Amino acid sequence: MSYYQEHPKFYISTDCIIFGYFDNKLQVLIRPRAMQPGLGELSLMGGFVDDDESVDNAAIRVVEELTGLKDFYIEQVGAFGAVDRDPGERVVSICYYVLIKAADYDEELKEKFNAEWVEITKVPKLYGDHNVMIEKAHKILQEKLSWNPIAFYLIPEKFTLTQLQALYETIYGETLDKRNFRKKLTEENHIVTTGEIDKTTSKRGANLFRFDFDGYKNDKIFKL
């Protein structure tokens, strides 16, 4: 027996806002659209949901196929379903934002898909409502930083406190007080020293830290 035959059918897609961080800038991964309508227009990474997969799994598949990565942070931004959002068909898109370590991104895949990194403040006009998706995802990222350690998915495993503050300032788009930032972030926030020194920026060097994800998972406490 068939159900819901009297109701209209829509296409479901996923669009993934892949964030990376390098050169002290928050970057977004974009590529030329590979299908009509809008063939060749710059767009986010995305694809349609297959019959045998969930929406979440479809988004994960898209990220894995386009970046070659298995270890990343992904979270749903929301649904975009304006009637006229896609000139081809009625398409409802479930949008996700993804945090990756840009240095781990497969360069061969980057070239294969003609992908490019664009600074968050310099994103050009993209296909359809993709710019709106990025704006919403950026706001969610900014709001979540103060109570969730998602920033550590963007930087190398070992980092200096100066590098960490630069990351937060880039995402927030504002300068943070150095003393207050370090005090708040290192108090019971599972940031531990590695005992190693980074001497890439000075002879004296700076202490290298890491984030204790196991400790965080045990008590779920993080506060900036």
Side-chain angles (χ1 to χ4, degrees):
M1 180 180 294
S2 296
Y3 299 97
Y4 314 130
Q5 294 300 309
E6 70 276 18
H7 297 291
K9 305 296 187 296
F10 302 149
Y11 288 93
I12 303 295
S13 69
T14 62
D15 284 297
C16 299
I17 302 158
I18 302 176
F19 288 120
Y21 174 75
F22 57 92
D23 295 337
N24 289 335
K25 296 179 178 66
L26 183 65
Q27 314 266 358
V28 181
L29 195 63
I30 61 175
R31 61 167 295 194
R33 186 170 162 85
M35 65 178 71
Q36 293 286 9
L39 179 67
E41 292 184 29
L42 293 175
S43 74
L44 295 171
M45 306 294 192
F48 287 96
V49 180
D50 291 335
D51 290 336
D52 60 349
E53 64 182 352
S54 69
V55 176
D56 287 349
N57 286 341
I60 292 171
R61 170 178 55 79
V62 166
V63 177
E64 290 179 347
E65 289 178 352
L66 296 177
T67 68
L69 299 176
K70 299 290 184 180
D71 183 21
F72 49 82
Y73 180 87
I74 185 168
E75 180 179 353
Q76 191 176 121
V77 174
F80 291 75
V83 174
D84 59 350
R85 65 172 300 273
D86 192 301
E89 294 284 353
R90 181 73 194 277
V91 180
V92 175
S93 177
I94 311 301
C95 178
Y96 294 77
Y97 76 92
V98 183
L99 308 180
I100 71 171
K101 291 179 171 58
D104 296 337
Y105 179 30
D106 190 324
E107 283 296 318
E108 291 186 2
L109 285 176
K110 181 172 177 287
E111 294 180 5
K112 176 181 177 181
F113 294 111
N114 294 318
E116 62 177 305
W117 289 107
V118 180
E119 186 181 346
I120 185 70
T121 59
K122 299 179 179 178
V123 177
K125 175 67 175 68
L126 303 180
Y127 178 81
D129 51 7
H130 289 187
N131 290 86
V132 178
M133 292 179 178
I134 293 175
E135 291 175 7
K136 185 173 182 179
H138 190 198
K139 289 180 181 178
I140 292 174
L141 177 58
Q142 290 174 324
E143 293 170 357
K144 198 163 187 177
L145 279 182
S146 64
W147 57 271
N148 191 294
I150 55 177
F152 298 97
Y153 288 92
L154 288 166
I155 59 176
E157 180 181 357
K158 300 175 183 179
F159 52 85
T160 67
L161 293 182
T162 298
Q163 292 168 340
L164 185 60
Q165 181 170 343
L167 169 60
Y168 272 79
E169 290 178 337
T170 298
I171 296 175
Y172 281 133
E174 62 183 45
T175 301
L176 303 174
D177 180 82
K178 180 177 179 179
R179 180 178 297 179
N180 288 339
F181 175 82
R182 294 191 175 194
K183 181 180 180 181
K184 290 179 180 179
L185 204 57
T186 55
E187 286 181 348
E188 301 180 4
N189 267 335
H190 308 294
I191 296 176
V192 297
T193 181
T194 65
E196 301 175 39
I197 302 294
D198 175 26
K199 293 188 176 182
T200 58
T201 56
S202 68
K203 291 183 178 180
R204 181 180 178 183
N207 291 321
L208 283 168
F209 295 80
R210 66 176 179 83
F211 183 76
D212 181 13
F213 278 98
D214 291 333
Y216 168 72
K217 291 175 182 176
N218 288 334
D219 61 23
K220 294 294 183 183
I221 295 175
F222 184 86
K223 183 170 61 176
L224 177 61

